[in-house]
Amino acid sequence: MKKGRTTTNLPELPGGCLSHILSFTSPRDVFRSSLVSKDFLAAAESDMVWERFFPSDYEEIISQSQTAPSAPHPPVFASKKDLFVHLCRSPVILGSGTKSFGLDKWSGKKCYMLAAIELAICWGDTPRYWKWTSFPESRFSEVAELLQVWWLDIRGRLQTKLLSPNTTYGAYFVFKLNTHSYGLGVESEPIKVWVKEGDGLDPEVNTVKKIYLKAPELRPSSASRQFHGEGELPYERADGWMEIEIGQYFNHGDGDANGNRMIEMSLRQIEVRDCKSGLIVQGIELRPSD
């Protein structure tokens, strides 16, 4: 007599086994699998699963976060999933408030934003040209508001060892424009942007691209008309700020010769002296683009 083959369906496995299996997937897969059944939902809540998705040094990083005097340090969460979701939605401000740290929702890889105060802004310390002020919609205590300049030159630098290894990052300039802004749109010379390793040297020509910080104002009858200028245009983020990509960078990471290099992100328009005003700088954000 032939013996029948025994099979086990995934939903029939003990919860611990399901959690162990899910821990080898990705945050995206776990979020999706939690919709399959109650068993998968329970397994997807396990700390065992979410602990695997954090960077190895996440506890050290968030221990540097700013908290209210009466709050526990670092903040306490009911589960690893709650902490993961919090870092995806609400990046923490680190140290003296010069940068923020968060996680990419789908991969768990590191995201950083350099605050305006951490950037090298040409004439940024001259009150005639730039004003440092609080802005209620900013995640940082201060933003830089452009009063008037002819040369626009903004640079940010970050050590590559802070980023997740073997990951392609996009660098994004995050800003707003006030109602009286000028000299930053398609009527003016485009701004050159780039990302490169090191500092002090000009970038390779093929890594430089051109952007505008202000989209053309079209009448309602021509709203569907596309802009065909030589520079890229910004778009609005979910948090209400505007952003535009400066460039991309592949971080080789741990054990590589490039594991502790400096990455520099630049915006520059100095060739044509168009008068510029009304730019409000929150910072430069680096996040995975894989």
Side-chain angles (χ1 to χ4, degrees):
M1 184 174 175
K2 211 172 187 179
K3 292 184 178 180
R5 184 176 296 176
T6 303
T7 60
T8 301
N9 295 320
L10 277 176
E12 296 173 355
L13 291 173
C17 290
L18 279 179
S19 296
H20 184 69
I21 292 170
L22 290 177
S23 71
F24 287 96
T25 61
S26 69
R28 182 193 298 268
D29 293 328
V30 174
F31 281 123
R32 289 176 173 174
S33 66
S34 65
L35 303 175
V36 172
S37 68
K38 292 181 179 179
D39 294 321
F40 271 97
L41 176 60
E45 297 290 325
S46 170
D47 280 355
M48 176 202 306
V49 174
W50 294 97
E51 183 69 33
R52 291 286 296 263
F53 299 146
F54 285 99
S56 60
D57 57 349
Y58 81 95
E59 290 182 321
E60 178 185 352
I61 296 172
I62 63 176
S63 70
Q64 305 167 30
S65 64
Q66 295 181 351
T67 56
S70 60
H73 190 75
V76 176
F77 292 86
S79 69
K80 295 294 185 181
K81 179 185 176 183
D82 287 348
L83 174 58
F84 184 93
V85 172
H86 176 80
L87 291 174
C88 293
R89 294 177 177 174
S90 305
V92 295
I93 307 302
L94 302 180
S96 57
T98 59
K99 65 173 67 72
S100 68
F101 166 77
L103 296 177
D104 177 67
K105 178 180 179 179
W106 302 123
S107 67
K109 293 184 177 183
K110 299 176 182 177
C111 303
Y112 282 94
M113 184 185 287
L114 303 180
I117 195 68
E118 182 76 350
L119 306 179
I121 301 177
C122 186
W123 305 109
D125 57 353
T126 306
R128 176 183 174 185
Y129 301 119
W130 288 88
K131 178 175 72 172
W132 293 90
T133 183
S134 61
F135 200 83
E137 299 169 26
S138 173
R139 68 178 63 171
F140 302 108
S141 60
E142 280 190 317
V143 298
E145 183 173 359
L146 172 59
L147 301 180
Q148 188 179 62
V149 294
W150 283 262
W151 282 17
L152 184 66
D153 192 350
I154 301 174
R155 288 172 292 138
R157 302 171 70 213
L158 187 72
Q159 288 182 303
T160 59
K161 69 177 182 179
L162 297 178
L163 304 174
S164 296
N166 301 312
T167 302
T168 299
Y169 275 87
Y172 301 87
F173 184 60
V174 183
F175 67 99
K176 280 181 178 285
L177 299 174
N178 67 29
T179 55
H180 305 294
S181 64
Y182 58 83
L184 301 164
V186 297
E187 75 285 349
S188 303
E189 187 73 10
I191 299 166
K192 293 180 181 178
V193 296
W194 63 86
V195 175
K196 67 180 182 66
E197 280 187 355
D199 55 7
L201 298 174
D202 289 331
E204 298 291 335
V205 174
N206 61 357
T207 65
V208 177
K209 63 179 183 178
K210 297 178 180 180
I211 66 167
Y212 297 105
L213 297 181
K214 187 175 184 179
E217 296 180 3
L218 302 177
R219 297 177 180 177
S221 60
S222 59
S224 61
R225 192 172 59 203
Q226 290 188 334
F227 167 65
H228 297 288
E230 59 177 316
E232 297 181 16
L233 297 174
Y235 55 89
E236 187 173 357
R237 295 157 49 101
D239 60 9
W241 288 81
M242 302 296 293
E243 75 172 18
I244 191 161
E245 186 183 85
I246 300 172
Q248 295 197 345
Y249 173 78
F250 180 75
N251 187 40
H252 296 275
D254 301 335
D256 186 270
N258 298 325
N260 189 19
R261 301 289 297 276
M262 191 69 71
I263 179 176
E264 183 176 278
M265 302 146 284
S266 301
L267 299 89
R268 182 183 296 169
Q269 201 290 294
I270 60 175
E271 291 82 5
V272 178
R273 297 188 179 185
D274 292 327
C275 189
K276 306 166 184 64
S277 180
L279 173 65
I280 301 170
V281 181
Q282 178 170 205
I284 295 177
E285 184 173 56
L286 281 148
R287 62 177 187 262
S289 58
D290 293 344

